[in-house]
Every structure is written in structure tokens, then in C-alpha cells.
Amino acid sequence: MGTWDIGPFDNDTAADFSYAVDEAPAEQRAGVLLTAFHEVTGVGEEYLDADQAAEAIAAAALVAAQCPGGAPVTTSFAPKQPIPQLPAALRPAAVEALDRILTEPSELLELWAESDGDEWKAGVLRLRTVLAGASPTAD
């Protein structure tokens, strides 16, 4: 995986995921994000592949951007097409996926641990905080 920084879209896998989000019809984009979360949580306690984790983190960033306190996604590697208002029900799925990514066995967690990934982990935890703090019934 080519990674150039710690942000949710600062790697080749997330940039490719952005293209997949853009290619989906607007009414199906929430489903693309939900699928990314389910692919991560669906592995259970098995080894989690880094690419699956990178896609779920990117998806979580898109959901968090619509939450109170969420940062807008402004990188050129994010989806180019507008993200429609996402259902609040995506938030708990995103939190669950981020929790799984930060739990062994997780290839992405291991890769960042090898390269002093404290800032990366802090960024993932910030996303989680925004997602968990947003009330699913607020929308």
C-alpha cells in the first residue's frame, strides 16, 4: 500500500475507494460506505487486511464530516462527487469498524505500530470520538 501521510485519504487504497464512491449512483453511496464497514467487522477475530481497514477509515471520515464537530474532507484524493446526506444509522457501524481496526489482529494497526504511528492512531480515535458523540437520532 502506498501511503504518503496519516490522513484517512493519504494512501492508494483510500484514493481508489474514493473512485468507487464516485462511481456509485448518489442514492447508493451510503451503501458503499456501509459495505466498507461490514467488510471490516465481518472478519470477526480473524486477521484484518490493511486494504479493508483503509477503506473503512476513509468511509468513516466521510460519515464524520456530516456529524457535529466533524472535519470536512477537503483532500484531492477524496470523492469528487458530492456525498448526499447520510443516514445517522451509519455512525454506529463506523464506530464498530474503527474499533475493530484498532484491535489485533489488524494489519494496518501493525504497519503503523512499526513506523511509530501514534499520530495516525490519534487521528482514527478523533474520527471515532466525533462519530460516537453524534446522536444517531439527531438527523
Side-chain angles (χ1 to χ4, degrees):
M1 171 173 68
T3 301
W4 51 88
D5 208 345
I6 62 170
F9 291 93
D10 295 340
N11 61 78
D12 291 336
T13 301
D16 291 344
F17 177 72
S18 293
Y19 180 76
V21 172
D22 278 340
E23 289 298 300
E27 67 276 3
Q28 293 178 12
R29 290 192 186 125
V32 172
L33 305 182
L34 186 60
T35 296
F37 302 143
H38 285 167
E39 287 182 5
V40 165
T41 57
V43 301
E45 296 180 12
E46 298 296 317
Y47 192 74
L48 176 60
D49 181 76
D51 287 344
Q52 290 173 304
E55 288 183 358
I57 291 170
L62 295 173
V63 176
Q66 294 186 3
C67 294
V73 177
T74 58
T75 177
S76 62
F77 300 103
K80 308 290 185 258
Q81 300 300 316
I83 302 297
Q85 186 62 37
L86 298 169
L90 285 178
R91 296 170 188 169
V95 168
E96 185 179 359
L98 295 178
D99 286 346
R100 177 59 189 88
I101 291 164
L102 295 175
T103 303
E104 292 289 347
S106 169
E107 183 181 20
L108 193 58
L109 181 64
E110 291 170 8
L111 291 170
W112 279 107
E114 292 171 4
S115 62
D116 192 27
D118 291 341
E119 283 186 72
W120 169 82
K121 188 172 183 179
V124 174
L125 289 171
R126 275 191 301 277
L127 280 176
R128 188 199 185 285
T129 298
V130 167
L131 291 160
S135 169
T137 58
D139 293 12

